[in-house]
Amino acid sequence: MTARNSFTRTDETDDQLFYQSPRLVQHIDDGFIQKLQQLFQEVLPPKATILDLMSSWVSHLPADLPVNRVVGLGMNEVELAANPQLQAYTVQNLNQNPVLPYPDQTFDAVLNTVSIQYVTRPLELMREVHRVLKPGGVTVVSFSNRMFPTKAVEAWRDSSDEDHVQLVTAYFTKAGGFTQIRAVRQVAPRTGNFMDWFTQPQDPFYAVVAEREAQ
């Protein structure tokens, strides 16, 4: 794999065509959502102003988490309008234009949930995340092993779950200006019991958490 083709995709047609039909479904299972909400409780500051990047009809924020404001940015307006946790939203294709339409140091937290695998210009996006975060602000990129394979970048599609952790960590490191970068892994072991495949959570949980360096 070369650096030139790592962020190409099998389907390079206009993303707007792929995402024009709303998908009002869960893309991860309940076990993943529970772990994600627990992580949010641990790392998000109280009364935060939050940006939910590549958002959809649900942001997975815990119902009892005190927030100031949640802003979404995504590809499908129907999905964004259906999200009850958003106070405002913007429709934007980040692969086409990774510049975030917000002033510097606007947000206490920036989230990206199960969508980082589709980003074709990750370093540009992470530099924008750094710009809109307040000093000391936190960003959480979470993912599992699901994807739309034709829209996932080659660097993601052709690598392992652990490779994904290292890749997202590298995004933060190479973008610069982030500190306290750490990976969270919660993968439930499976037994040999066939029925456990139906009763145990099946989506492995991974996240990379980072903070903008304080000034």
Side-chain angles (χ1 to χ4, degrees), residues 131-148:
R131 180 183 65 79
V132 302
L133 270 175
K134 298 175 183 178
V138 64
T139 178
V140 181
V141 176
S142 59
F143 48 92
S144 190
N145 57 1
R146 299 197 198 189
M147 71 180 93
F148 297 119

Side-chain angles (χ1 to χ4, degrees), residues 43 108 110 126 129-131 133-141 168-183 207-215:
V43 304
D108 300 292
V110 177
M126 289 307 179
V129 169
H130 178 272
R131 180 183 65 79
L133 270 175
K134 298 175 183 178
V138 64
T139 178
V140 181
V141 176
V168 176
T169 300
Y171 291 166
F172 285 117
T173 302
K174 293 182 178 181
F178 292 97
T179 186
Q180 303 297 321
I181 304 170
R182 64 184 179 94
V208 179
V209 182
E211 297 178 11
R212 174 175 167 159
E213 292 179 346
Q215 293 179 337

